[in-house]
Amino acid sequence: GAGLLTVTLTAGLVVLFPLVLKAGNVYRPGFGVDAAFALMTLMFLVSTILVAFLPRDERPYHLEKTATLAETWRDIREGWAFVSARVEIILPLIYLSATAMLVMALVTIGPGFASRVLGIDAEDAVYVFGPAGVGMLVGTTLIARFGYSMRRETLSNAGLMTVSAALGALAAVGWAATSARMAHLVADLNFLPIVMMLSLFIGFSFALIAIPAQTSLQERTPEPLRGRVFAVQFTLTGLVVMVPLLFI
């Protein structure tokens, strides 16, 4: 479940959206953004229909019962207190937040990178970061097949080191492609295959980081507190993602 969620989120951001944008603009200039919003609306509608057909909860619930502000604040404090007191919970949260931040940063800078560094249309950024979706799929498959025999922290740490090296190499490519000093050395070099290979490693690294972290978070959290811990995760991820995007 964690692997599928991570793959679908990344594939939607780095593959599906650029494809829809490109196809829409080919159909009519400027139509790509409208097509993307239309597709999102359709997906939300389909999701609503699918949720409506889920089996009903066997336990009774009361529609008239609502939580007071004090009860809500108590639940929030209990979730943060549980997380902050356990390193085995904090680490997966950090891994997941870092992954979300990197994905959103790449999505944000991807079109500009494709245009300035590779000299292709910003709409064609899917060719640059599309392989990341393939890397995610490969990583998910391998982790599901062999990951159970390794410590989850080891997998996530390996993913962090791999993505750091790949992002460093990506920055080096950007410098070499735009540096006046390197112009005479790389004038005839096509950087697109290099960037696509680095993108593949980045996607693979995201799987190594996020899937073991999400699994650890689910397994190490008691069921009564699971919802509160996931609320902490979503809050922390939103805060972490917001800051670099504002600067970008």
Side-chain angles (χ1 to χ4, degrees):
L4 182 60
L5 175 63
T6 307
V7 170
T8 52
L9 286 175
T10 306
L13 286 171
V14 303
V15 180
L16 181 59
F17 178 75
L19 279 177
V20 173
L21 191 65
K22 177 70 174 177
N25 289 338
V26 168
Y27 173 73
R28 189 175 72 238
F31 182 68
V33 175
D34 294 336
F37 275 106
L39 180 61
M40 285 190 290
T41 302
L42 177 63
M43 286 185 171
F44 274 114
L45 177 61
V46 172
S47 300
T48 302
I49 295 173
L50 292 177
V51 170
F53 283 96
L54 287 175
R56 292 188 176 185
D57 197 340
E58 295 180 357
R59 291 181 295 181
Y61 59 94
H62 304 282
L63 294 176
E64 70 278 2
K65 180 173 176 55
T66 58
T68 64
L69 184 61
E71 290 173 338
T72 302
W73 179 242
R74 181 198 62 199
D75 292 342
I76 294 174
R77 284 190 289 108
E78 287 180 357
W80 280 101
F82 177 81
V83 169
S84 61
R86 291 164 175 80
V87 176
E88 68 274 13
I89 299 296
I90 294 176
L91 283 178
L93 286 176
I94 294 175
Y95 291 144
L96 292 170
S97 299
T99 303
M101 180 184 66
L102 289 173
V103 169
M104 293 304 298
L106 287 175
V107 170
T108 304
I109 68 175
F113 185 91
S115 177
R116 291 191 302 270
V117 175
L118 302 176
I120 62 178
D121 292 337
E123 300 166 1
D124 293 330
V126 63
Y127 300 118
V128 178
F129 294 109
V134 178
M136 287 285 295
L137 183 60
V138 172
T140 301
T141 303
L142 292 178
I143 291 172
R145 181 68 178 85
F146 305 105
Y148 63 89
S149 61
M150 301 181 64
R151 292 183 68 249
R152 296 191 177 93
E153 287 77 12
T154 300
L155 290 173
S156 293
N157 288 333
L160 284 173
M161 290 187 289
T162 303
V163 76
S164 298
L167 290 173
L170 201 62
V173 169
W175 173 80
T178 56
S179 173
R181 298 178 182 178
M182 300 291 293
H184 65 287
L185 297 176
V186 299
D188 298 325
L189 182 61
N190 184 6
F191 287 103
L192 182 57
I194 300 175
V195 172
M196 292 178 70
M197 182 59 65
L198 291 174
S199 176
L200 184 71
F201 278 104
I202 290 172
F204 181 79
S205 302
F206 284 162
L208 281 181
I209 301 169
I211 295 174
Q214 188 72 44
T215 304
S216 298
L217 200 62
Q218 292 174 349
E219 290 183 348
R220 296 171 182 175
T221 303
E223 187 174 350
L225 290 174
R226 195 165 294 163
R228 301 171 197 179
V229 171
F230 284 136
V232 171
Q233 176 199 336
F234 291 134
T235 303
L236 183 62
T237 299
L239 293 174
V240 170
V241 168
M242 184 73 68
V243 175
L245 288 185
L246 290 175
F247 283 99
I248 290 173

